[in-house]
Amino acid sequence: MPRNLQHNGMYFHPFELVSTALWDKYEQHKFVKSVEVLSRNVDGHGRLCSTRLLTMEGKLPSYIRPFFGSKPLYLLEEVVVDAKKRSIEVKTSNINFTSILACSSISRYHSSRENFFQTEYTISVSAEAFPRPLDESANEAPRSKGSWFGIGQKIESFAANKLLGNVKEGEDVINGIIDRITTNCLSASSKSWFCSRFASSRS
């Protein structure tokens, strides 16, 4: 069975600031080595849709390293921004090593209904080691991972806990970017459209 975890949180900033900061959250990430935009467009509902390819590299535990070697992990990130509903959905999943690990996360951000200047979010992650191919019978009994001396459960726990274990660090990164944005917007030299919008929301 996949390892599933969830986290609920809050940013004490309006949606416009959080959504702007989210685009830069990987700029100083120690494991994300590159971010490439594959597509970006506005759909028929007026939502901004973006697809990015993330390349990740980092040190793995000794019990996982033999399965992944020294090759990078590639993640596909799909983002949908609905400005009218003031919400963002971010889906991320790995596109290589899929026979070893199927790992995904869904993050949803939306403006708080109780406070316009707060943004609520939920992150749900799922990790499954040695997943069955989709064409296998759904009625087939689950394959035991006991023959791998529990390595399947270890891989799932590592992947899921790693994703949610970085939540606090991720919040600090987003808040740091927001601090930088607000500092720039409050400076006399900044005359950008976004800063004008930001200034009006504070008044």
Side-chain angles (χ1 to χ4, degrees), residues 7 15 25 33 35 46 48 59 77 95 114 129 136 149 157 168 170 185-186 202:
H7 172 79
F15 173 79
K25 66 180 179 179
K33 303 304 180 181
V35 179
L48 175 63
K59 188 176 181 180
E77 178 199 67
I95 59 174
E114 298 178 358
E136 286 192 10
F149 302 100
S157 294
K168 180 60 172 63
C185 286
L186 292 174
R202 288 169 57 90

Side-chain angles (χ1 to χ4, degrees), residues 31-48:
F31 298 126
V32 177
K33 303 304 180 181
S34 67
V35 179
E36 299 179 48
V37 178
L38 302 181
S39 66
R40 186 165 291 171
N41 64 280
V42 177
D43 68 11
H45 300 285
R47 303 176 303 180
L48 175 63

Side-chain angles (χ1 to χ4, degrees), residues 29-201:
H29 198 290
K30 58 184 177 181
F31 298 126
V32 177
K33 303 304 180 181
S34 67
V35 179
E36 299 179 48
V37 178
L38 302 181
S39 66
R40 186 165 291 171
N41 64 280
V42 177
D43 68 11
H45 300 285
R47 303 176 303 180
L48 175 63
C49 302
S50 173
T51 301
R52 302 194 294 184
L53 178 66
L54 314 178
T55 301
M56 299 189 69
E57 292 182 276
K59 188 176 181 180
L60 296 173
S62 58
Y63 59 85
I64 293 180
R65 206 173 303 134
F67 296 96
F68 294 91
S70 59
K71 295 181 180 179
L73 179 68
Y74 296 108
L75 301 176
L76 194 68
E77 178 199 67
E78 298 173 287
V79 182
V80 177
V81 182
D82 192 324
K84 293 181 179 179
K85 294 183 178 180
R86 305 181 80 231
S87 67
I88 295 180
E89 181 177 84
V90 182
K91 296 182 179 180
T92 307
S93 59
N94 63 300
I95 59 174
N96 63 336
F97 300 113
T98 53
S99 63
I100 301 170
L101 175 67
C103 188
S104 63
S105 69
I106 300 179
S107 304
R108 294 183 174 92
Y109 304 80
H110 63 86
S111 180
S112 172
R113 295 183 179 89
E114 298 178 358
N115 191 324
F116 180 87
F117 296 99
Q118 295 179 359
T119 302
E120 301 174 6
Y121 74 91
T122 300
I123 300 177
S124 302
V125 303
S126 176
E128 182 178 10
F130 313 115
R132 288 187 298 172
L134 294 176
D135 57 356
E136 286 192 10
S137 171
N139 296 323
E140 182 180 336
R143 291 180 298 184
S144 172
K145 295 169 186 173
S147 60
W148 290 91
F149 302 100
I151 191 65
Q153 288 90 339
K154 289 183 179 180
I155 292 175
E156 291 169 354
S157 294
F158 171 79
N161 291 329
K162 193 68 175 177
L163 286 171
L164 280 189
N166 292 330
V167 166
K168 180 60 172 63
E169 182 179 343
E171 288 180 347
D172 292 342
V173 168
I174 295 299
N175 285 321
I177 296 172
I178 290 175
D179 288 343
R180 186 181 69 200
I181 293 172
T182 55
T183 298
N184 290 338
C185 286
L186 292 174
S187 68
S189 59
S190 181
K191 302 296 182 182
S192 69
W193 172 87
F194 177 83
C195 289
S196 299
R197 177 78 177 271
F198 168 70
S200 63
S201 70

